[in-house]
Amino acid sequence: MLFRLLLPLLLVLTSAAMAATPQLLLDVARFRTLAAGNNYEVEIYATVPGNGLIYVKRAPGSFQAAAVVTLQVLKANGQAAYSETITLKPPVIGDTTIDLKNPQSFLKRITLPAGQYTVRGELRDQYRKSATPTRVEQPLALNFAASGPVLSDLVFLARPASQTTAQSNFTRGNYLLTRTPGGNYARGAEQLYFYLELYQVPGGQPLKLHYHLESEEGAAADADAAIAETKSGRPTPVAGELPLGPLPAGAYTLTVEVRNAAGKVLATQKGSLQRRSQEYAPEGASLPR
């Protein structure tokens, strides 16, 4: 009888011992709004890897974790321009000893005026009461040039951007975007996919794109692509891809250039990613219901 009473506690303690330190990944991207004024759409994509959470028994052969995430955007004076707390619950699993547990993600899209901000995320494992919350911060500068061609931030994708007429937080420019948290491309990923937007270009101007991917050790790859027809006063969506092929594991920087017919560079944007060819990626981050 005592063993039966202690078994649920042992299961929790075993999960606690096996769980790594909880992680919180924040991917922040800046886009122009169509509204008048110097405003921006900011996308905050928060991801909690399942491997760092404690899973507790819900039913025979059924275990689940829960992460409480607080997201804030702070103005330069420390006041909150946005604040929200959500609870993310990864999918139920039947075995807590498996090495790979799927992540859970949350996407928030907010509109902010130009200025300097700080994006702050705080994670608390709901079943790890005594632990210090995990905190992540990064600066956010909303300061695109007022004139001339400008590119939004890069959004790295786990699969190609697919065209859609549906509207949700996960669509931009009539594309459905499946993000890869932290710009991580694990074993089995042979193609790099990404999305960004081009602003402030005259309609109908012939433009082309150049992609350059380079690691800290010097491994590199290049590609060119045609750009969709530009329209005055409207963003031009760019859904790009680049073969990863034989490139070794490591940290990479992707540079996207917009060039005119004469080859002059009109706009440039960079983004950082990781190729981890020795790690298997979990399935795409499941979305909160």
Side-chain angles (χ1 to χ4, degrees):
M1 182 65 178
L2 180 60
F3 176 77
R4 292 180 179 177
L5 293 174
L6 288 176
L7 184 57
L9 177 60
L10 289 173
L11 286 170
V12 173
L13 293 177
T14 300
S15 297
M18 294 177 61
T21 302
Q23 286 184 292
L24 175 62
L25 303 176
L26 289 183
D27 295 289
V28 182
R30 304 165 299 167
F31 299 90
R32 276 288 196 192
T33 67
L34 295 178
N38 195 9
N39 295 315
Y40 296 79
E41 280 187 345
V42 178
E43 291 189 355
I44 304 174
Y45 192 62
T47 304
V48 179
N51 285 23
L53 299 175
I54 294 174
Y55 282 72
V56 299
K57 189 173 184 180
R58 291 299 184 198
S62 175
F63 301 85
Q64 191 171 36
V68 180
V69 178
T70 299
L71 298 176
Q72 291 183 308
V73 177
L74 305 176
K75 301 177 183 179
N77 62 7
Q79 294 182 342
Y82 156 75
S83 182
E84 184 172 358
T85 299
I86 62 271
T87 299
L88 302 180
K89 294 184 177 182
V92 173
I93 60 176
D95 181 3
T96 60
T97 64
I98 59 176
D99 293 330
L100 201 61
K101 302 180 179 70
N102 287 335
Q104 182 79 353
S105 294
F106 175 79
L107 176 63
K108 184 69 177 184
R109 182 178 293 168
I110 59 177
T111 301
L112 294 170
Q116 300 292 324
Y117 300 86
T118 298
V119 179
R120 175 184 295 168
E122 189 173 275
L123 163 66
R124 180 174 60 83
D125 188 331
Q126 188 165 297
Y127 302 119
R128 197 191 301 250
K129 300 292 187 182
S130 61
T132 302
T134 300
R135 175 178 288 186
V136 179
E137 289 187 356
Q138 64 182 78
L140 173 65
L142 302 182
N143 56 356
F144 287 176
S147 61
V150 175
L151 285 167
S152 74
D153 286 333
L154 279 156
V155 176
F156 291 108
L157 306 175
R159 55 179 63 96
S162 57
Q163 290 190 312
T164 179
T165 57
Q167 294 297 317
S168 74
N169 271 5
F170 299 94
T171 60
R172 287 203 70 91
N174 293 327
Y175 285 97
L176 175 63
L177 308 180
T178 304
R179 292 154 178 79
T180 179
N184 293 326
Y185 289 85
R187 187 172 183 176
E190 300 300 328
Q191 198 83 353
L192 169 65
Y193 302 105
F194 53 92
Y195 175 89
L196 70 169
E197 294 176 355
L198 174 62
Y199 311 106
Q200 300 170 181
V201 292
Q205 181 176 345
L207 300 174
K208 54 186 178 180
L209 298 160
H210 179 73
Y211 309 142
H212 177 72
L213 182 65
E214 186 170 357
S215 73
E216 296 176 350
E217 290 73 29
D222 290 84
D224 294 290
I227 198 167
E229 181 183 358
T230 59
K231 297 181 180 180
S232 297
R234 305 284 296 182
T236 300
V238 176
E241 59 183 271
L242 189 67
L244 291 171
L247 291 175
Y252 285 82
T253 298
L254 173 65
T255 303
V256 176
E257 294 179 344
V258 179
R259 300 176 177 178
N260 63 15
K264 180 182 177 181
V265 177
L266 304 179
T268 302
Q269 188 57 273
K270 295 185 177 184
S272 299
L273 60 131
Q274 298 276 340
R275 189 171 199 206
R276 299 176 176 174
S277 55
Q278 300 306 311
E279 298 179 11
Y280 282 101
E283 296 178 8
S286 54
L287 309 179
R289 293 189 177 92

